[in-house]
Amino acid sequence: MSKQTLSFQAEVAQLLHLVTHSLYSNQEIFLRELISNASDACDKLRFEGLNNSALFEDAPNLEVRVSFDKDAKTLTITDNGIGMSQQEAIDHLGTIAKSGTKDFMGKLSGDQKQDAQLIGQFGVGFYSGFIVADKISVESRRAGLQADEGVRWISGGTGDFEVETITRAARGTSIILHLRDDAEEYLNAWKLKQVIAKYSDHISLPILMEKEEWKDGELINPSDENGGRQPGGMVKTGEWETINKASALWTRPKKDITEEQYADFYKTISHDHEAPLTWAHNRVEGNTEYTQLLYIPAKAPFDLWNRDKKAGVKLYVKRVFIMDDAEALMPTYLRFVKGVIDSADLPLNVSRELLQESRDGRSIREGSTKRVLSMLEDLAKHDKHDTTAGADGVTDVVDADDKAKEGKYTAFYAEFGAVLKEGLGEDFGNRERLAKLLRFASTTSDAVTVGFADYKARMKEGQEAIYYITADTLAAAKNSPQLEVFKKKGIEVLLMTDRVDEWALNYLQEFDGTPLQSVAKGAVDLGKLQDEAEKKAAEEAAEAFKPVLAKLKEALKDKAEDVRVTTRLVDSPACLVVQDDGMSTQLARMLKQAGQQAPETKPVLEVNAEHALVKKLDGSVHFHDLAHILFDQALLAEGGLPEDPAAYVKRVNALLA
């Protein structure tokens, strides 16, 4: 039998040091992770066995067994699932094949309880065994291999591990934890059953433990019944019993499932330590029959913006596990949704490729998308409730369910709102529903709570467009000179500060029949909101300013596409805008920052003919320098940088001297 000692991958060694020295606050999480891994191993065997029934060998019934030995101080979790070959043991247990490992390390906060919860979330659940053990032995044989091709893996959680070939008759894996002195409470059947009931009751496989019964101690004096006995204790009977419900949670009637059970199931499938924000559990009947249990998390995962990461719900067919991340059943912009879909119609050997092309797969995707949007609409509807009394002095009565939903949509949107906006470009069929779910800050509210419908309800008489501005930050948006005339006239403008806004709004030109208009594109036209006297004064100013405009255009011909007088400015001397069909300067900056090509477009410089600095241009000996300062200041005001900052500083200093 070959035996070799190998070193852990550097990240694993770092992780093990953390686990063995820091994470003691929530010890019992290790049992949840190891049982969950055992269940996954059985699911994988069930899936591979669809095409190769010989893998089941002589044990078709899949199960997980938990046992302990008080004398040896060991706790063993055994499954008869797919098992591991020697190379798989080295690959799976000696390295973390996951790019998120460094992110995991970076997420550690020093808050031990929270850090412990991260273990499973980052796919390193096996190593949580070292929270309670100073040595772990793993004995395994992959289904289909010979009995003498088993493997034993041993590590003390330090820098290396041993691997050797063993003979193992049973397929599957046994994880033997050699418990530390401070973890001896897990050598107790009652404690183990309590933890399993808390975290693993929903697992559809039977979790077995050996039965125990009370046995009185021996007589101190065998010939004297009244002389007293030695202390009694619980004794194992050799018979195994199922200690969990062993039925998939989503297959049970909703009335039989408590909120706590729903939340615990979510924590297990998502490895999230927080309860979900909301969920929906439904059986869908019709041309395609399936059960869906879908959750919306309370917090965004660390890799939410990694669109290449596999995401999606777990897919089962007739309760047989098929795949973990069935992305074909949920659009990318809803990649934060967790849950289970169990289909009665899909073939058991369905693959990712078949799923994408399948009519039933598309039907499930559409139904699941609509269900998630309905959940969000319900949260949005109850997000804030007006508790002020009406004209008759009566205040609406809010029931407990509605009260519990208050503020939840605002919390959801703070975490996932930017991802939801991706749907405008990805899901044409649901674009109107998505538009109603979007929220923004505005010139009347710094809080990101203003929807398009709220905005429309407050539009001024004669207002013909929904006005918005995009910027890198809320402060930049609020203080943009392009808002000055809107503030003066009390016209609300939506402030959009997510990086995705510029892209998403290309797919949304109007809302409920009202066009969306960027205040930074095209000439400002307030239509009926601008009276005739204002229009006439603006035209006269533009006419009188024509000679100066001509000189400005010549001075700035390399920087600006055009220079014109504007009515949008009140306090500022100038601002930059782009033509109606042009790319905004903010989007062009974002593309360049991302290393992508952006078309070279020149902005339009709009000047305020009434401003003292602009009036100073006429006849000034420093006309050329003032013109460039005017342009560069307008660029700075909208978050950009002058092309030649040193030249800008030199010009300003020369004028100040």
Side-chain angles (χ1 to χ4, degrees):
M1 292 186 183
S2 64
K3 185 173 184 178
Q4 52 184 321
T5 300
L6 301 167
S7 295
F8 280 116
Q9 179 192 30
E11 286 95 336
V12 176
Q14 190 180 353
L15 176 68
L16 289 173
H17 179 81
L18 167 83
V19 169
T20 53
H21 291 85
S22 303
L23 306 182
Y24 297 103
S25 58
N26 189 9
Q27 284 187 334
E28 60 191 31
I29 199 169
F30 83 92
L31 195 54
R32 180 191 78 180
E33 292 301 319
L34 295 180
I35 289 177
S36 180
N37 287 353
S39 172
D40 287 347
C42 292
D43 280 341
K44 284 169 185 168
L45 175 66
R46 191 183 278 154
F47 181 56
E48 289 195 22
L50 293 173
N51 295 321
N52 183 4
S53 59
L55 292 176
F56 286 101
E57 300 173 3
D58 57 353
N61 298 322
L62 301 175
E63 62 189 25
V64 178
R65 295 190 176 220
V66 179
S67 59
F68 60 91
D69 184 330
K70 283 188 176 180
D71 295 331
K73 288 191 2 185
T74 59
L75 173 64
T76 303
I77 295 95
T78 299
D79 67 74
N80 60 351
I82 195 68
M84 290 181 285
S85 65
Q86 182 164 333
Q87 190 56 49
E88 285 172 329
I90 293 169
D91 292 343
H92 297 337
L93 306 181
T95 63
I96 302 176
K98 187 174 175 65
S99 60
T101 309
K102 288 194 174 114
D103 295 289
F104 169 77
M105 299 299 175
K107 283 278 182 179
L108 299 173
S109 62
D111 177 342
Q112 291 182 350
K113 184 165 186 180
Q114 186 165 336
D115 292 348
Q117 302 288 5
L118 286 170
I119 285 283
Q121 191 177 343
F122 283 79
V124 289
F126 166 74
Y127 303 107
S128 64
F130 285 107
I131 294 175
V132 294
D134 52 22
K135 184 172 85 169
I136 297 180
S137 304
V138 179
E139 296 180 359
S140 188
R141 176 174 67 79
R142 200 182 205 285
L145 295 183
Q146 298 298 318
D148 60 2
E149 294 181 87
V151 59
R152 178 183 289 124
W153 179 101
I154 301 175
S155 177
T158 52
D160 52 35
F161 58 92
E162 288 181 2
V163 179
E164 64 178 312
T165 305
I166 62 169
T167 298
R168 179 181 168 93
R171 68 154 196 273
T173 303
S174 295
I175 296 175
I176 303 119
L177 305 175
H178 300 262
L179 299 179
R180 290 199 301 268
D181 292 341
D182 61 354
E184 289 187 19
E185 62 181 312
Y186 298 103
L187 299 172
N188 177 294
W190 180 84
K191 174 67 176 178
L192 293 171
K193 287 177 182 177
Q194 180 193 40
V195 175
I196 290 168
K198 181 177 179 181
Y199 292 112
S200 308
D201 196 48
H202 67 277
I203 284 180
S204 55
L205 296 168
I207 301 172
L208 306 175
M209 281 185 67
E210 214 173 335
K211 272 188 179 179
E212 289 185 326
E213 61 182 28
W214 180 264
K215 183 178 179 182
D216 289 333
E218 299 293 332
L219 290 170
I220 294 172
N221 183 350
S223 61
D224 181 4
E225 283 283 349
N226 299 317
R229 292 178 176 272
Q230 302 284 356
M234 300 298 290
V235 177
K236 293 176 181 174
T237 66
E239 184 183 347
W240 293 79
E241 62 177 341
T242 302
I243 58 169
N244 65 324
K245 284 196 171 66
S247 64
L249 184 95
W250 63 89
T251 63
R252 302 183 211 159
K254 288 201 290 193
K255 62 182 176 59
D256 295 344
I257 309 172
T258 65
E259 289 203 0
E260 188 178 8
Q261 287 172 324
Y262 275 124
D264 285 343
F265 180 66
Y266 163 77
K267 290 175 184 178
T268 302
I269 61 171
S270 67
H271 300 293
D272 189 352
H273 66 281
E274 287 198 32
L277 200 63
T278 189
W279 61 83
H281 183 191
N282 302 281
R283 178 165 176 75
V284 180
E285 296 178 342
N287 292 334
T288 305
E289 290 192 8
Y290 58 96
T291 299
Q292 56 185 198
L293 175 53
L294 304 174
Y295 292 91
I296 294 175
K299 294 289 182 185
F302 78 104
D303 52 2
L304 178 67
W305 288 103
N306 180 3
R307 288 173 58 91
D308 297 328
K309 175 187 174 290
K310 283 185 177 177
V313 292
K314 291 179 180 288
L315 173 63
Y316 287 74
V317 174
K318 301 179 181 74
R319 304 185 196 183
V320 175
F321 172 77
I322 303 298
M323 67 182 76
D324 247 327
D325 304 304
E327 64 269 2
L329 300 183
M330 197 66 71
T332 307
Y333 73 92
L334 295 179
R335 57 186 174 274
F336 52 84
V337 175
K338 305 291 183 187
V340 167
I341 288 175
D342 191 343
S343 170
D345 297 320
L346 292 168
L348 280 171
N349 60 350
V350 68
S351 66
R352 292 183 187 276
E353 292 72 28
L354 281 173
L355 198 56
Q356 287 169 333
E357 297 164 8
S358 154
R359 181 182 61 82
D360 288 331
R362 288 194 295 272
S363 176
I364 293 172
R365 177 189 172 101
E366 289 170 11
S368 299
T369 301
K370 285 182 167 61
R371 178 63 59 187
V372 173
L373 295 181
S374 295
M375 291 159 68
L376 295 177
E377 286 163 349
D378 186 51
L379 289 183
K381 177 183 172 185
H382 299 99
D383 194 44
K384 53 190 178 196
H385 188 84
D386 186 3
T387 55
T388 55
D392 56 2
V394 177
T395 302
D396 286 349
V397 176
V398 186
D399 67 32
D401 285 346
D402 290 351
K403 188 76 177 169
K405 293 172 185 171
E406 284 185 19
K408 282 192 172 183
Y409 190 72
T410 299
F412 160 80
Y413 202 83
E415 298 289 327
F416 303 107
V419 184
L420 199 64
K421 291 173 187 174
E422 294 175 11
L424 294 177
E426 294 178 13
D427 190 353
F428 180 81
N430 288 305
R431 192 174 297 167
E432 286 185 20
R433 293 182 74 177
L434 285 166
K436 291 176 183 176
L437 288 167
L438 302 185
R439 299 291 182 266
F440 308 95
S442 83
T443 46
T444 64
S445 169
D446 284 357
V448 184
T449 54
V450 182
F452 287 127
D454 300 327
Y455 182 100
K456 276 198 69 170
R458 296 197 289 261
M459 277 171 51
K460 286 187 169 293
E461 189 176 346
Q463 186 177 339
E464 296 172 348
I466 295 171
Y467 294 106
Y468 70 89
I469 186 170
T470 57
D472 293 328
T473 64
L474 183 61
K478 283 173 67 177
N479 298 316
S480 171
Q482 290 147 343
L483 296 182
E484 289 176 0
V485 72
F486 295 92
K487 289 177 180 175
K488 179 182 175 183
K489 291 185 170 291
I491 301 169
E492 186 175 12
V493 179
L494 296 174
L495 310 177
M496 303 188 180
T497 56
D498 281 331
R499 293 176 70 85
V500 72
D501 285 328
E502 285 272 1
W503 173 84
L505 288 171
N506 287 323
Y507 301 94
L508 191 70
Q509 276 78 45
E510 56 92 26
F511 176 80
D512 196 19
T514 304
L516 271 64
Q517 174 64 50
S518 169
V519 301
K521 283 190 175 182
V524 64
D525 180 11
L526 297 180
K528 297 173 185 173
L529 298 175
Q530 192 171 29
D531 61 42
E532 290 303 317
E534 287 177 320
K535 287 179 183 176
K536 189 175 181 183
E539 288 166 5
E540 289 173 355
E543 187 65 30
F545 206 67
K546 267 187 176 178
V548 180
L549 281 181
K551 286 178 71 178
L552 276 172
K553 288 179 187 178
E554 178 60 27
L556 298 171
K557 63 184 179 183
D558 294 332
K559 289 184 174 182
E561 181 183 342
D562 192 13
V563 182
R564 64 192 180 207
V565 174
T566 184
T567 57
R568 83 174 83 219
L569 297 171
V570 178
D571 301 316
S572 300
C575 68
L576 297 178
V577 296
V578 295
Q579 302 289 21
D580 281 320
D581 57 349
M583 177 183 288
S584 75
T585 49
Q586 191 211 9
L587 181 56
R589 277 199 309 275
M590 282 168 52
L591 289 173
K592 286 177 182 175
Q593 287 166 2
Q596 297 182 30
Q597 288 292 323
E600 287 300 326
T601 55
K602 294 178 184 176
V604 174
L605 179 69
E606 293 193 344
V607 294
N608 177 3
E610 299 301 314
H611 195 278
L613 181 58
V614 177
K615 287 180 177 178
K616 191 177 178 181
L617 283 166
D618 195 11
S620 172
V621 295
H622 301 292
F623 186 93
H624 187 269
D625 284 340
L626 281 171
H628 281 81
I629 287 172
L630 206 60
F631 182 91
D632 287 344
Q633 283 185 342
L635 191 58
L636 285 166
E638 63 150 37
L641 281 174
E643 206 171 273
D644 186 350
Y648 168 73
V649 172
K650 193 174 179 181
R651 287 189 181 108
V652 171
N653 288 346
L655 290 171
L656 290 173

